[in-house]
Amino acid sequence: MTANKRTFMVFMGPPGAGKGTQARILQEKLGLPQISTGDLFRYNLKNETELGLLAKSYMDAGDLVPDEVTIRMVEERLTRADCAPGAIFDGFPRNLVQVVALDEMLADEGGLSLVPMLTVDDDEVMRRITGRRICRTCGAVYHVEFNPPKVAGVCDIDGGELYQRDDDKADTVKNRLYVYYKQTSPLVGYYFAKELLAEVDGSQPPAAVTADLLAVLAEHGIAPG
Ligand code: ADP
Ligand code: AMP
Ligand code: ZN
């Protein structure tokens, strides 16, 4: 690894594992932006863009948005100046087509540096997803029980209203888990074979997960700047 190599990581794990929570914490510590395709789709939906309206039906069903639009959205995001030092991908790639597309996007950058995988069992995933609340204004993530805001229903950061994502309701969650196991979990084997995978016990409290992630990153030469 050269001194000025950009650092790109993919956070893997089932929906609700805590990828977004940890990516938001680490983006501050590491100076790497979080690229969450789910957040990007929700932002587009809120602003009623063509992309947001297209994504809506897939998101409501818990299915993947078509690869072509998802990949184009990520390519565009990577052209922004904040990606100069690299990025943390969260929720992308989600299938083998997207994996290959990401490899191509990063071919001139020496590829990914690491793929941390947050392991959490299905019962805990259900508890985390059904209790998740999101700020309408800034997208900050809370949990009614495990990570509650100071005032119920109100974002600590900006006072925004907290809401439950439509796709976090029990029926859609089951399909999202099905899609994860069928389409996304094979990527774990792909990254394992490339010697990029680093498993972290995601079932611990958030601060312990952050500490383990930072330790694994340090082992691979990725440290807070
Ligand atoms: P993902 O991005 O993997 O879908 P999130 O980061 O949105 O997952 O976390 C899912 C839910 O679980 C949120 O409500 C979040 O507050 C909560 N959560 C995240 N990490 C933990 C943790 N280590 N322990 C308990 N709850 C957590
Ligand atoms: P998330 O916020 O990561 O839970 O994603 C919410 C929803 O956005 C998913 O259920 C999909 O409908 C869509 N989505 C997010 N990322 C992707 C992706 N990489 N490929 C396809 N669809 C995605
Ligand atoms: Zn907020």
Side-chain angles (χ1 to χ4, degrees):
M1 192 163 111
T2 58
N4 56 4
K5 181 182 181 295
R6 296 165 82 194
T7 302
F8 291 97
M9 289 187 278
V10 168
F11 278 13
M12 285 285 304
K19 303 180 295 295
T21 299
Q22 295 299 329
R24 277 179 176 250
I25 296 170
L26 288 186
Q27 73 169 351
E28 301 287 325
K29 292 190 188 291
L30 299 174
L32 297 173
Q34 168 204 24
I35 299 185
S36 159
T37 41
D39 282 356
L40 290 172
F41 285 132
R42 278 185 290 279
Y43 178 81
N44 275 279
L45 194 51
K46 189 169 102 179
N47 291 296
E48 296 181 354
T49 68
E50 206 177 311
L51 173 62
L53 297 175
L54 183 150
K56 183 177 170 19
S57 57
Y58 297 96
M59 294 172 82
D60 284 349
D63 289 328
L64 296 187
V65 177
D67 291 328
E68 198 193 311
V69 275
T70 305
I71 290 165
R72 207 179 320 128
M73 180 175 75
V74 172
E75 279 170 346
E76 199 194 295
R77 178 68 186 83
L78 278 174
T79 64
R80 299 220 325 234
D82 63 340
C83 295
I88 300 171
F89 296 100
D90 155 19
F92 179 88
R94 258 178 152 99
N95 62 24
L96 287 164
V97 173
Q98 296 180 13
V99 161
V100 172
L102 181 62
D103 280 353
E104 281 168 10
M105 284 180 228
L106 302 183
D108 293 339
E109 308 293 341
L112 288 165
S113 300
L114 197 67
V115 179
M117 158 93 190
L118 299 180
T119 58
V120 178
D121 70 39
D122 288 350
D123 289 343
E124 178 67 9
V125 156
M126 287 303 283
R127 281 192 288 275
R128 287 188 183 181
I129 294 185
T130 49
R132 173 161 53 192
R133 298 292 182 273
I134 312 281
C135 173
R136 264 194 212 290
T137 317
C138 71
V141 181
Y142 297 88
H143 190 284
V144 288
E145 195 184 333
F146 307 141
N147 180 25
K150 293 196 183 83
V151 178
V154 179
C155 178
D156 291 346
I157 301 164
D158 56 12
E161 181 202 1
L162 304 188
Y163 75 102
Q164 181 176 34
R165 284 167 46 179
D166 280 343
D167 63 347
D168 276 352
K169 293 171 186 161
D171 280 355
T172 313
V173 172
K174 282 187 201 133
N175 189 46
R176 285 167 59 209
L177 277 175
Y178 175 75
V179 167
Y180 172 77
Y181 284 114
K182 195 161 177 192
Q183 300 198 48
T184 310
S185 67
L187 311 193
V188 176
Y190 178 88
Y191 286 130
F192 176 79
K194 293 204 155 209
E195 298 185 358
L196 285 168
L197 198 71
E199 280 198 15
V200 169
D201 178 3
S203 68
Q204 312 172 86
V209 178
T210 305
D212 281 6
L213 271 168
L214 284 171
V216 162
L217 265 49
E219 278 171 31
H220 290 82
I222 303 165

